C-alpha cells in the first residue's frame, strides 16, 4: 500500500507559501519541504482501543482530516498519511479483566468500531494503519538501541526507562525541570521525568520476550516513535494529535527519536488540535470525568456535516464547544448554503426569472476572483477555515441578492443568452468545490450522501410523491395569483408549512416553485 501511494505522488508539484504555527518558537513559520523528497509524511497518533470513541476524539480527527484535505486540494502537497492503533495498554488489560473477555478480542472490537466511526464522520482513512502488537520486534530493537547508546537503563524489576537528563534539549515542546537523581530511588527510575520504554510484566498480564531485559510490553511513547520510524525513517514532515498529547507523549517521542536517529529534530511540523468542551464547561471531554458524548449519540442528533461545520467554524488549534447553541449555529450555516444552492439551481434551470445585467455579471465575476484570493490567503495563514467559510458565505449572499432581485418578465421567461446565468453557475460551482474540499459530503455530487439526498432508487417514490405535491400546490398558487383569492393563498401557505415540518423546503419563484430536502433530514 505504501509503495503504491509513494509512486502515485512521486511527480507531484510542491508549493511553499503556507505558514504553520510552531509551538516551539511560539510563532508561525514557513512550511519546510525537502526538494529531493517526492512525498510528505503525515503521522497521526491514533486511539488506545479499550472503549468507544467520543466526540472529543472525533473533533481531533475531523479537524486533522480537514487539514489534510486542504494540504492536498489547495496546496497540492503529496501526503502519505499513517495512524497507529494502541492495542496493548494498562487500560485495555483492565477493561478486559473487568468484562472477562480476551484482551485481544476487546481491542479488536473497539478498533473496528473506531474505523467505522471515522467512516461515518467522513474522515478519510490513513494510507497506512499500524497496530502496536504487529511491530513488537521492531519496538524491542528500538529500546535495545537506546540502551546501547547510553540513553536508557534497566531497573530492578526489569523495566527500561529513558534517562531525560541525558538529552540536553528535553523540554523542546514544553519546558520541563529535571530534578536531580535521588539516591533513594535506586532500583527505580532515576529522575521524576524519566519515562518507561519497556514495562516489566506483572502476574497474569500479557508479555513478550525481550533479549537483554525482562518479559514485558512496550511503554506508550516508544510505540509511536518505532512505528513512525519504521514507515518514514529518520525524519517526519507532520506529526499530529490533540493538544493534550503535546506533553508528555510528543515530547518523549521527539526526545527518544532524536537520540535513536542522531538528528537535531525528528519532526519538522507538529500540529496540535484544540480540545473539545461541553457548553458551559472549561475542562476537556474525558472518560475519567464521565462527561463524554459518544459518536453514536452525536450522529443520532446531528449529521456528520453539521459536526464538521462546527469544526470548520473554529481554528484547529482553538478549543471548541459542543452543545445545542454551537450545533445550532453550524446547522444554520449549512442550511444557508443549501438554500443558496437551491436558489442558484432554480435560477440556472430557468425556474427563477433571469434578466440581462452586465453590471451584475461583472460584479459577480469580480467578487468570485476576490473571494478566491481571500480564501487562499486565509488557508495559507495556518489553515484559517473559519474566515474562509465566512468569505464563502458572503459570496453566496451576494449572489442570492442579485438573482432574487429580478422581477419576472411579462412573458414569464427570459431571452436565451441575455442573462448572467454563466457567472452564477461559475460562482455556484466554486463555492461547492470549496466546501466539498473541506469534506462537507452532502454537497458533493459524487458522494453517496448527495446521491441519496438528490434521489436514488430507494428514495425515488418519495421524491415523486413530493414532486406531485409541490406541482399541485403550484397549480393552486397560480389560480390564487390569477383570481387574487386569499383563501387559495392560505391553502398554499398551509401546504408549504406542512412540507417544512417533514423537512421539505418549498421556495416560490414568480409563478413557479422549487423544493429541496433540508439539511439534517432523514430521507
Amino acid at each position: 500500500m505504501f509503495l503504491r501511494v509513494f509512486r502515485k505522488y512521486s511527480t507531484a508539484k510542491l508549493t511553499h507559501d503556507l505558514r504553520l504555527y510552531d509551538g516551539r518558537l511560539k510563532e508561525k513559520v514557513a512550511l519546510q519541504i525537502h526538494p529531493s523528497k517526492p512525498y510528505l509524511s503525515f503521522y497521526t497518533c491514533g486511539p488506545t482501543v479499550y472503549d468507544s470513541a467520543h466526540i472529543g476524539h472525533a473533533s481531533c480527527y475531523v479537524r486533522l482530516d480537514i487539514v489534510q484535505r486542504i494540504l492536498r486540494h489547495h496546496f497540492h502537497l503529496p501526503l502519505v498519511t499513517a495512524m497507529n492503533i494502541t492495542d496493548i495498554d494498562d487500560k485495555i488489560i483492565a477493561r478486559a479483566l473487568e468484562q472477562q473477555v480476551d484482551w485481544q478480542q476487546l481491542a479488536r472490537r473497539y478498533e473496528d468500531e473506531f474505523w467505522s466511526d471515522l467512516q461515518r464522520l467522513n474522515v478519510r482513512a490513513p494510507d497506512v494503519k499500524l497496530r502496536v502488537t504487529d511491530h513488537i520486534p521492531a519496538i524491542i530493537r528500538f529500546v535495545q538501541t537506546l540502551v546501547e547508546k547510553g540513553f536508557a537503563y534497566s531497573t530492578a524489576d526489569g523495566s527500561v526507562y529513558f534517562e531525560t537528563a541525558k538529552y540536553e534539549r528535553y523540554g523542546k515542546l514544553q519546558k520541563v525541570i529535571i530534578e536531580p537523581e535521588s539516591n533513594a530511588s535506586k532500583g527505580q527510575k532515576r529522575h521524576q521525568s524519566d519515562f518507561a520504554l519497556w514495562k516489566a510484566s506483572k502476574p497474569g498480564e500479557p508479555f513478550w520476550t525481550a533479549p537483554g531485559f525482562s518479559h514485558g510490553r512496550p511503554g506508550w511513547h516508544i510505540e509511536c516513535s518505532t512505528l513512525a520510524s519504521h514507515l518514514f525513517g529518520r525524519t517526519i514532515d507532520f506529526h499530529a494529535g490533540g493538544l493534550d498529547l503535546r506533553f508528555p507523549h510528543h515530547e518523549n517521542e521527539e526526545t527518544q527519536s532524536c537520540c535513536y536517529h542522531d538528528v537535531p529534530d525528528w519532526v519538522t511540523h507538529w500540529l496540535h488540535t484544540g480540545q473539545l468542551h461541553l457548553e458551559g464547561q472549561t475542562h476537556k471531554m474525558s472518560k475519567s470525568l464521565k462527561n463524554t458524548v459518544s459518536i453514536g449519540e452525536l450522529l443520532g442528533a446531528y449529521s456528520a456535516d453539521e459536526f464538521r461545520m462546527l469544526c470548520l467554524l473554529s481554528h484547529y488549534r482553538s478549543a471548541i464547544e459542543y452543545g445545542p447553541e454551537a450545533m445550532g449555529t453550524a446547522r444554520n450555516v449549512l442550511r444557508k448554503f443549501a438554500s443558496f444552492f437551491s436558489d442558484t439551481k432554480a435560477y440556472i434551470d430557468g425556474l427563477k426569472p433571469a434578466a440581462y445585467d452586465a453590471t451584475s455579471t461583472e460584479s459577480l465575476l469580480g467578487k468570485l476572483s476576490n473571494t478566491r484570493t481571500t480564501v487562499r490567503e486565509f488557508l495559507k495563514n495556518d489553515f484559517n477555515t473559519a474566515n474562509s467559510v465566512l468569505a464563502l458565505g458572503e459570496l453566496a449572499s451576494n449572489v442570492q441578492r442579485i438573482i432574487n432581485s429580478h422581477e419576472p418578465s411579462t412573458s414569464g421567461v427570459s431571452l436565451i443568452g441575455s442573462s448572467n446565468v454563466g457567472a452564477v453557475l461559475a460562482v455556484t460551482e466554486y463555492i461547492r468545490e470549496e466546501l466539498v474540499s473541506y469534506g462537507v459530503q452532502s454537497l458533493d455530487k459524487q458522494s453517496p450522501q448527495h446521491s441519496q439526498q438528490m434521489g436514488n432508487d430507494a428514495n425515488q417514490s418519495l421524491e415523486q410523491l413530493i414532486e406531485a405535491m409541490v406541482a399541485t400546490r403550484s397549480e393552486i398558487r397560480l389560480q390564487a395569483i390569477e383570481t387574487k383569492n386569499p383563501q387559495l393563498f392560505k391553502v398554499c401557505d398551509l401546504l408549504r408549512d406542512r412540507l417544512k415540518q417533514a423537512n421539505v423546503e418549498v421556495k416560490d419563484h414568480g409563478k413557479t416553485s422549487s423544493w429541496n430536502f433540508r439539511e439534517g433530514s432523514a430521507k
Side-chain angles (χ1 to χ4, degrees), residues 99 101 104-114:
Q99 297 185 6
V101 297
Q104 292 171 302
Q105 292 178 347
L106 178 124
R108 188 60 58 86
R109 182 174 83 238
Y110 285 121
E111 178 189 345
D112 291 344
E113 182 182 289
F114 171 75

Side-chain angles (χ1 to χ4, degrees), residues 251-467:
E251 183 72 55
N252 293 346
E253 276 191 70
E254 173 75 10
T255 293
Q256 64 199 6
S257 299
C258 287
C259 294
Y260 178 87
H261 293 295
D262 294 320
V263 294
D265 293 294
W266 181 52
V267 174
T268 304
H269 298 287
W270 289 97
L271 298 176
H272 293 112
T273 61
Q275 297 171 338
L276 181 141
H277 309 268
L278 295 178
E279 285 179 357
Q281 297 185 3
T282 57
H283 42 269
K284 74 167 186 173
M285 182 170 289
S286 168
K287 293 172 184 175
S288 62
L289 297 174
K290 297 182 179 180
N291 63 345
T292 62
V293 176
S294 73
I295 293 173
E297 290 172 322
L298 162 72
L299 295 178
Y302 304 101
S303 71
D305 277 352
E306 287 168 345
F307 186 72
R308 183 171 290 259
M309 183 56 68
L310 175 72
C311 295
L312 285 165
L313 292 175
S314 64
H315 194 274
Y316 79 93
R317 289 190 288 109
S318 301
I320 184 171
E321 280 199 343
Y322 173 86
E325 182 177 348
M327 290 304 300
T329 298
R331 173 174 282 176
N332 287 335
V333 170
L334 271 177
R335 284 180 174 172
K336 287 179 181 179
F337 280 117
S339 174
F340 162 75
F341 290 120
S342 176
D343 279 356
T344 57
K345 184 179 187 305
Y347 188 75
I348 294 165
D349 290 347
L351 297 177
K352 292 174 72 69
Y356 176 73
D357 189 345
T359 301
S360 71
T361 300
E362 184 177 347
S363 174
L364 277 180
L365 295 177
K367 291 180 185 303
L368 172 60
S369 178
N370 291 338
T371 302
R372 284 183 183 275
T373 300
T374 299
V375 167
R376 181 171 176 82
E377 289 300 315
F378 283 139
L379 297 181
K380 282 165 53 179
N381 184 17
D382 197 29
F383 311 112
N384 189 337
T385 58
N387 282 348
S388 73
V389 170
L390 292 177
L392 295 174
E394 183 178 351
L395 178 60
S397 296
N398 285 328
V399 173
Q400 286 181 294
R401 280 195 293 269
I402 291 173
I403 65 178
N404 289 328
S405 66
H406 292 313
E407 295 295 330
S409 65
T410 55
S411 63
V413 297
S414 61
L415 298 176
I416 296 176
S418 65
S419 70
N420 55 9
V421 170
V424 172
L425 179 60
V427 173
T428 300
E429 291 311 304
Y430 165 70
I431 293 177
R432 186 190 305 279
E433 179 186 3
E434 288 299 298
L435 293 173
V436 169
S437 76
Y438 301 150
V440 182
Q441 190 177 28
S442 61
L443 303 179
D444 186 355
K445 293 179 179 179
Q446 306 302 317
S447 74
Q449 185 177 341
H450 185 270
S451 297
Q452 182 180 6
Q453 179 171 326
M454 299 308 294
N456 54 25
D457 292 340
N459 289 324
Q460 194 69 35
S461 59
L462 172 62
E463 295 199 6
Q464 288 174 349
L465 175 62
I466 296 172
E467 192 70 48

Side-chain angles (χ1 to χ4, degrees), residues 214-259:
S214 72
H215 298 331
R217 51 192 169 84
W220 179 31
H221 315 300
I222 197 68
E223 298 169 349
C224 286
S225 289
T226 303
L227 298 179
S229 297
H230 164 74
L231 193 60
F232 296 128
R234 301 174 72 240
T235 58
I236 298 177
D237 297 297
F238 298 99
H239 193 316
L243 182 62
D244 55 323
L245 297 183
R246 182 176 64 184
F247 185 89
H249 186 49
H250 288 168
E251 183 72 55
N252 293 346
E253 276 191 70
E254 173 75 10
T255 293
Q256 64 199 6
S257 299
C258 287
C259 294

Side-chain angles (χ1 to χ4, degrees), residues 5 29 101 106 153 259 319 330 353 412 431 495 507:
V5 173
V29 299
V101 297
L106 178 124
Y153 59 89
C259 294
I431 293 177
L495 282 171
K507 289 193 173 184

